[in-house]
Amino acid sequence: MSFAEELLGLAVATAREAGRMLVDKRPADGPDVVQTKSSPTDVVTMMDRAAEQLIIERIRAVRPDDAFLGEEGGDRAGGSGVRWVVDPIDGTVNYLYDLPDWAVSIAAEVDGTVVAGVVEIPRRGESYTAVRGGGAVAHTASGTRELRVNSQVPLGEALVATGFGYAAKRRAWQAQVLTGVLPRVRDIRRGGSCCVDLCSLAAGRLDAYYERGVQAWDIAAGGLIVREAGGRIEGLHGAPPGPELAVAGGPGTFEALHDVLAPLNPLTD
């Protein structure tokens, strides 16, 4: 077993435990909102914090010298060269409203490169994993299967996912960008979880994806899964994906969506 596979095994076990806890302990009347971030609609629940604490405790029990970057806990230093990039609930608003598209995302970086990742989607009974250079796999009740993105899908026939920010000014501009994209594609989907969208892309349920405002914890595991399924995830003009923009798709479709987005000024707020 390679070092990356060892890290993946720890990530998978931890994500599954966190996912079970989030399902089992979710209050029947919904979790309490304990904080807002960029706007009143950008929320943190008590369960986000509980899940991130569980994840850090489980991993540190095995690997005490590793670093962490978590959505709720910030950056924690380590000395091993390994850093865990954690989103305890990607799709918190979906979780708040008891919608199924939310996930636990855990990725392991070695010297700054993501080498293993898992996206656990408890309410769908699905788990997606990848090891750098080793492919991407979907795990469901019916078994496991290797993932391959759809390729060479003409943009006019492509099902494209996107997401929106929380600040009103950013949303207004994203609506303008969308008016330039929507007439050029089959249709748009807005699921509410970046990493779930990326896994759907890797599984062939979507043909492409774009979003402004995603953070490292949103795309670390899902981005690796897309790449290992044969897709691309980048910013504009070869920039790395990140808060300015993430564009993902299979061969041919990625390029076509990129070229539609570029003149629409999607980096504007």
Side-chain angles (χ1 to χ4, degrees):
M1 180 183 294
S2 71
F3 183 49
E5 289 170 332
E6 290 180 12
L7 296 175
L8 178 63
L10 179 56
V12 167
T14 304
R16 286 180 179 167
E17 183 179 355
R20 287 194 300 271
M21 183 272 288
L22 287 165
V23 171
D24 293 345
K25 295 190 176 181
R26 182 186 183 278
D29 57 351
D32 292 335
V33 173
V34 296
Q35 181 184 345
T36 59
K37 293 185 282 189
S38 61
S39 82
T41 57
D42 186 6
V43 299
V44 179
T45 71
M46 62 179 182
M47 300 304 293
D48 287 272
R49 292 181 174 176
E52 187 163 300
Q53 181 179 354
L54 182 154
I55 291 165
I56 292 172
E57 288 177 353
R58 295 297 183 271
I59 292 174
R60 280 207 161 151
V62 179
R63 299 188 52 83
D65 297 325
D66 291 353
F68 287 85
L69 176 64
E71 180 172 16
E72 311 310 336
D75 206 346
R76 305 186 187 197
S80 67
V82 174
R83 183 173 76 159
W84 298 88
V85 185
V86 175
D87 195 339
I89 308 177
D90 185 45
T92 297
V93 174
N94 284 349
Y95 182 75
L96 184 67
Y97 280 81
D98 202 21
L99 295 168
D101 281 353
W102 56 270
V104 179
S105 176
I106 305 176
E109 296 177 343
V110 176
D111 297 327
T113 298
V114 178
V115 300
V118 56
V119 174
E120 180 80 11
I121 311 173
R123 288 285 307 280
R124 294 197 178 278
E126 298 176 353
S127 181
Y128 295 82
T129 62
V131 170
R132 188 168 185 258
V137 179
H139 310 260
T140 68
S142 59
T144 63
R145 68 180 179 95
E146 293 186 6
L147 299 173
R148 297 302 298 175
V149 297
N150 299 329
S151 64
Q152 306 301 330
V153 178
L155 196 59
E157 300 173 14
L159 187 61
V160 178
T162 193
F164 305 109
Y166 292 101
K169 184 178 178 183
R170 174 168 288 184
R171 286 174 181 245
W173 186 255
Q174 288 174 320
Q176 288 294 110
V177 172
L178 185 61
T179 63
V181 174
L182 185 56
R184 308 286 296 275
V185 301
R186 181 190 295 274
D187 207 348
I188 292 288
R189 293 292 180 268
R190 197 280 199 257
S193 168
C194 168
C195 67
V196 172
D197 285 344
L198 291 174
C199 290
S200 294
L201 171 62
R205 295 172 176 169
L206 296 168
D207 300 305
Y209 163 87
Y210 78 93
E211 186 168 353
R212 176 161 166 77
V214 298
Q215 303 296 325
W217 45 79
D218 297 313
I219 60 174
L224 178 67
I225 291 165
V226 166
R227 291 187 181 102
E228 289 299 322
R232 292 174 65 180
I233 176 168
E234 299 176 14
L236 284 187
H237 309 299
E244 286 200 333
L245 193 69
V247 184
T253 315
F254 170 90
E255 293 84 353
L257 178 59
H258 174 280
D259 291 349
V260 165
L261 284 167
L264 298 175
N265 298 319
L267 309 189
T268 302
D269 283 331

